[in-house]
Structure formats: C-alpha cells, structure tokens
Amino acid sequence: MAMSLKAQAAAAALKEVKPGMKLGIGSGSTVNELIRLLAKMVDDGFEIIGVPASSYSEALCKELGVPLTTLDEAPVLDLVIDGADEVDPQLNLIKGGGAALLREKIIAAASARMLVIADESKVVDTLGNYPLPVEVVPFGLEATRQMMQNSFDAEGLQGEMILRMLGEEPLVTDNGNYIFDCHLKVIRDPKSLAKRLEVIPGVVEHGLFIDMAVRAYVAGTDEIRVLEP
Ligand code: DER
C-alpha cells in the first residue's frame, strides 16, 4: 500500500537520523507516522533515544518500543523532527494545533537542528490563516486576553480570540494551562507579533516558531520537496 503523504515526509526526514542520536520527537499526526517508522528501525536494531514533546507522542513511543529519555537526562538533543500547522518561505511556523506547543518549543530550543515534516497543505506564503495558538495561564485570563488584543491592535491585526475547549470545559494542556486560538488571517510581521506576545505576563508561549526550523520535508502528490530558509 502506498505510503501516505505524511509518512513519506517522515521517511525522508528520517534519513537525517544517525545511530546513537538523541532525537526530539514532536507531536501530531505526521509525527505519529514518524514514530511508527522509527519503531520499525528500532526493531531492526537501529540505536536511538527519543525525547517526546507530548503525552500522546510518549504513549505511542512506549506502545511501539521506541526507547525514551527526558530532557532532564538529555538536555542537549542532536535533532528534533516535528510537524507544523503552517510553514512560510522563511520556514517560520505556526504550531500548536495539537496543544503541545510549549513542550515542542522547549524541545526544539534544546535541539541542535529542527526539521519539519508536513504535507503540502501546510505550506503558505504568509502565516496566519491557521488560527495562532497561544498558551496562557488560567489566572487572570480576561486581563491576558485584553493585553493580547492590545498586541494585535498594535500590529494592525484584527481577529477573534477563542478559548480552546474540550467538551464543555476549557482544554488544559500537559502543563496545566489554557490555549487561546487567535484568528488573525494574515500575520505580516511574525517576529514583531512574537515579541509583543512574549512580554505579556499571562502568556506562557505562542505557536510562532521563528528562525527555528532549518529544513522542511514537504510531501506533495508527486514529489517530496525539501525547503530551506
Ligand atoms: O500541534 C502541533 O504543533 C503539531 O505539530 C501540528 O502543528 C501538526 O500536526 P499534524 O501533523 O497532525 O498536522
């Protein structure tokens, strides 16, 4: 059976994984394909140790036998491979669709290199059509919302902020926080917006990954493209 686009992108990125590497493993459905392929390599004797970026990735790695450690045991990683919700030409990303953005960014920052794996639907000219996830502390939520709105206004951005729900309750991340999904449509200056969000006390982290990814493996219907900034 032909490999899915996500699996093809994952297989291409896995060529950069060398035996004995400490590998950051992101989160999401494309990363799940990576984990499945990685588990087959481990079954064939490939030596690797992974640090998962979400409880979902951790559970799948454990289920399939991918050896794991923690960032406390391995604070410097050789490589991280992760998905994205949007990828622009500079390889700036929007991430967080799966609510794992804080751990994903911590692991990406601890990794020497970050690779992105995605199908071609994620590639955009300008970030923002995908709602920007922002992880916030539950305390003072409405004050934080107002400060975020001020940041958007200062950037000339319009957009609704929607508290991400899980059923009837706000979704709680692996770190005990909430997420606002910000429907900004077009983010002309992601770096500037990132800086404005980072100074808001109630903002824990945002889903703009700026100047972090060094290569993206993008699976299209008839080819794998390798994008670099
Ligand atoms: O939530 C995340 O950051 C995921 O990596 C997301 O950006 C990609 O998820 P997908 O591979 O399921 O599309």
Side-chain angles (χ1 to χ4, degrees), residues 46-59:
F46 191 87
E47 264 186 54
I48 193 78
I49 187 102
V51 175
S54 74
S55 45
Y56 303 109
S57 297
E58 181 180 0

Side-chain angles (χ1 to χ4, degrees), residues 84-87 93-99 121-122 124 126-133 164 181-187 207-208:
D85 296 300
E86 285 187 338
V87 185
L93 315 173
I94 284 186
K95 285 178 58 54
S121 69
K122 307 298 185 68
V124 297
T126 310
L127 298 178
N129 184 54
Y130 190 92
L132 175 65
R164 193 177 301 186
D181 288 309
C182 306
H183 296 251
L184 301 171
K185 299 279 179 288
V186 177
I187 302 174
L208 291 168

Side-chain angles (χ1 to χ4, degrees), residues 6 26-31 82-86 94-101 104 117 122:
K6 292 176 185 233
S27 186
S29 61
T30 312
V31 164
D82 203 346
D85 296 300
E86 285 187 338
I94 284 186
K95 285 178 58 54
L101 67 114
E104 288 172 330
I117 51 177
K122 307 298 185 68

Side-chain angles (χ1 to χ4, degrees), residues 111-227:
S111 303
R113 296 175 68 242
M114 178 185 192
L115 305 180
V116 173
I117 51 177
D119 64 56
E120 60 186 359
S121 69
K122 307 298 185 68
V123 177
V124 297
D125 288 333
T126 310
L127 298 178
N129 184 54
Y130 190 92
L132 175 65
V134 180
E135 183 156 345
V136 295
V137 175
F139 174 81
L141 199 62
E142 289 314 312
T144 298
R145 183 201 290 266
Q146 184 55 58
M147 291 177 206
M148 287 172 60
Q149 187 57 61
N150 298 344
S151 302
F152 300 149
D153 296 346
E155 290 289 318
L157 299 171
Q158 309 298 328
E160 207 182 349
M161 271 181 268
I162 298 173
L163 185 63
R164 193 177 301 186
M165 303 298 280
L166 187 62
E168 299 300 306
E169 298 298 317
L171 175 142
V172 179
T173 67
D174 280 349
N175 320 294
N177 299 311
Y178 290 165
I179 288 184
F180 277 126
D181 288 309
C182 306
H183 296 251
L184 301 171
K185 299 279 179 288
V186 177
I187 302 174
R188 271 173 293 281
D189 189 344
K191 276 187 190 157
S192 176
L193 176 60
K195 287 195 179 67
R196 289 185 191 277
L197 291 172
E198 283 155 12
V199 297
I200 300 173
V203 168
V204 175
E205 194 46 80
H206 55 76
L208 291 168
F209 284 52
I210 308 287
D211 296 335
M212 297 186 87
V214 294
R215 187 171 288 163
Y217 288 90
V218 176
T221 41
D222 48 14
E223 58 167 354
I224 298 277
R225 285 189 293 153
V226 180
L227 306 182

